[in-house]
Amino acid sequence: MFIKENDIDVICGLLSGRLHIVITAHMSPDGDAMGSSLALQQILRLLQPSDADVRVVVPNAFPSFLAWLPQAGDVIIGDADADATASVFREADLIFCLDYCESKRIGVLTPLLEESSVPRVVMDHHINPGVLSADVIISHPEAPATAFLIQELYNGLAEKGLLPRDMPLDIATCIYTGLMTDTGNFAYNNSKLPELYVNVAQLLRAGVDKEAISDNVFNQFSVERLRFTGYCLYHKMKVYPKFHTALIALTSEELKRFNFQSGDAEGIVNMPLQIGSVYYSVFMREDTDKVKISFRSKGNRPVNIYASEVFNGGGHANAAGGDSHESFDKAVKLFEDTFRKYFQ
């Protein structure tokens, strides 16, 4: 539906004779970024000769609740292993860019990508398609997840007889994880596409255990993480009733108090939306060199425009992100000075 036969033919042409392939995803990789990357890695390993080297490289650590994904243990973390990262980029003869379309979204990998002259393939579902130049750009904001595009790619290759018609379970598991997480367990606005559920049916036929995946992703919190959630909601949530908005903002000292780990903030930004009168939710946390910000909303109330215009970010209409390189206090003040213009 989104991936045309010509796209598949061009990708197959780019793969021909290339033995060093790098798959990249965005900073703070989520379930869609990791699921898409690991699914594509396994697809390419089926397509390419046995001596081909297909590596997944992400800018920074992914959440521990995704560590169970097939092949996750082989992922190279850019900011933790600079030598290995530089090596795979140096040897690369083809690069896939998954779940992002702007080079600024890949942190420490940005200069390595920008300095590379090898062919690129972009597969993404965010706004601003085409900002990142590539030989093939498959960018569809209307797609529910990048994993949806990976599944379409698999099916297109299978139609050509290049892959088995029956999808291997490990690939299906990675794709389902991407679909499930990026649609909020199929609850967000981006899950309205009827074809999404046709695709889910295919994954279930492949043997995906959706209960186990849900348990692995949503029910593996530490004690500190659960207490951190309570602290956010009881002590830190500020509601602006007139503007139907909630803000949770935390300093680095508060994060340390709860032994904050990558992924511990996952889903917290959505919780204030359980309040009937809250349509917009914002989560801000102080990081080493910037303040990271997540935005969520209900219904036909976009937050990506605000994220882009005020906090150098972007994303989907109901789920976006941004950051500030000002101090924590200045970032919070910038939000409080500007959000009323956008959130009505």
Side-chain angles (χ1 to χ4, degrees):
M1 182 177 60
F2 292 126
I3 298 184
K4 309 303 181 187
E5 185 174 358
N6 182 63
D7 293 328
I8 296 174
D9 289 339
V10 174
I11 290 173
C12 287
L14 290 173
L15 288 170
S16 180
R18 289 188 164 87
L19 299 179
H20 297 279
I21 302 170
V22 175
I23 300 168
T24 63
H26 58 72
M27 287 185 293
S28 303
D30 55 11
D32 190 24
M34 294 305 301
S36 299
S37 299
L38 292 169
L40 180 61
Q41 180 186 45
Q42 294 169 74
I43 289 169
L44 297 181
R45 285 177 173 172
L46 290 175
L47 287 171
Q48 297 301 89
S50 59
D51 58 343
D53 185 31
V54 184
R55 307 303 297 269
V56 174
V57 185
V58 294
N60 57 351
F62 52 88
S64 60
F65 58 75
L66 296 174
W68 61 272
L69 282 168
Q71 311 302 319
D74 295 333
V75 174
I76 298 173
I77 310 299
D79 65 1
D81 196 340
D83 290 342
T85 301
S87 176
V88 295
F89 270 89
R90 187 167 53 248
E91 295 175 358
D93 46 26
L94 179 62
I95 298 174
F96 281 82
C97 306
L98 299 191
D99 210 32
Y100 70 96
C101 57
E102 297 177 273
S103 61
K104 68 179 182 180
R105 294 279 288 116
I106 56 172
V108 298
L109 305 185
T110 300
L112 296 171
L113 179 67
E114 292 180 343
E115 291 165 10
S116 176
S117 59
V118 305
R120 297 179 196 163
V121 177
V122 171
M123 298 182 70
D124 181 47
H125 72 130
H126 295 92
I127 60 172
N128 297 326
V131 171
L132 183 63
S133 62
D135 297 77
V136 180
I137 297 177
I138 300 170
S139 188
H140 294 280
E142 65 272 32
T146 297
F148 184 91
L149 302 177
I150 298 297
Q151 186 171 0
E152 284 210 334
L153 175 63
Y154 182 96
N155 289 336
L157 291 165
E159 285 290 329
K160 292 179 174 292
L162 300 174
L163 291 175
R165 284 195 173 272
D166 293 331
M167 184 182 291
L169 178 57
D170 280 356
I171 294 176
T173 296
C174 291
I175 290 173
Y176 184 88
T177 302
L179 296 178
M180 181 192 74
T181 53
D182 237 35
T183 60
N185 224 352
F186 308 99
Y188 295 163
N189 246 3
N190 64 341
S191 67
K192 292 180 178 180
L193 191 72
E195 289 80 3
L196 167 64
Y197 299 94
V198 175
N199 282 17
V200 168
Q202 178 191 8
L203 301 175
L204 295 178
R205 286 195 297 271
V208 161
D209 186 338
K210 65 184 184 67
E211 288 81 8
I213 294 175
S214 180
D215 185 60
N216 283 334
V217 172
F218 298 120
N219 298 328
Q220 300 300 320
F221 297 153
S222 65
V223 172
E224 290 90 346
R225 200 282 191 188
L226 207 57
R227 287 176 173 156
F228 173 67
T229 302
Y231 178 78
C232 289
L233 297 176
Y234 188 78
H235 293 282
K236 302 300 296 184
M237 184 175 68
K238 182 176 181 180
V239 179
Y240 306 81
K242 183 178 178 181
F243 296 93
H244 307 284
T245 298
L247 169 68
I248 297 172
L250 296 114
T251 66
S252 58
E253 288 302 313
E254 289 173 305
L255 298 175
K256 289 176 184 175
R257 175 179 169 186
F258 292 94
N259 191 29
F260 184 85
Q261 305 293 317
S262 175
D264 280 355
E266 189 76 20
I268 292 177
V269 66
N270 298 302
M271 291 181 175
L273 296 178
Q274 296 176 33
I275 302 170
S277 59
V278 170
Y279 307 151
Y280 304 93
S281 178
V282 180
F283 182 90
M284 307 176 73
R285 65 178 176 89
E286 187 178 21
D287 205 9
T288 306
D289 58 347
K290 60 186 174 183
V291 178
K292 293 184 176 181
I293 311 164
S294 297
F295 306 90
R296 297 292 186 272
S297 63
K298 296 176 183 175
N300 188 28
R301 301 178 180 93
V303 288
N304 53 349
I305 297 171
Y306 178 62
S308 175
E309 293 184 357
V310 180
F311 286 104
N312 190 39
H316 307 295
N318 296 111
D323 57 52
S324 171
H325 291 272
E326 300 285 353
S327 69
F328 175 80
D329 290 341
K330 286 184 177 179
V332 173
K333 186 176 187 305
L334 177 60
F335 166 78
E336 293 187 323
D337 288 345
T338 57
F339 82 94
R340 293 168 176 83
K341 176 183 174 182
Y342 294 84
F343 298 172
Q344 301 293 332

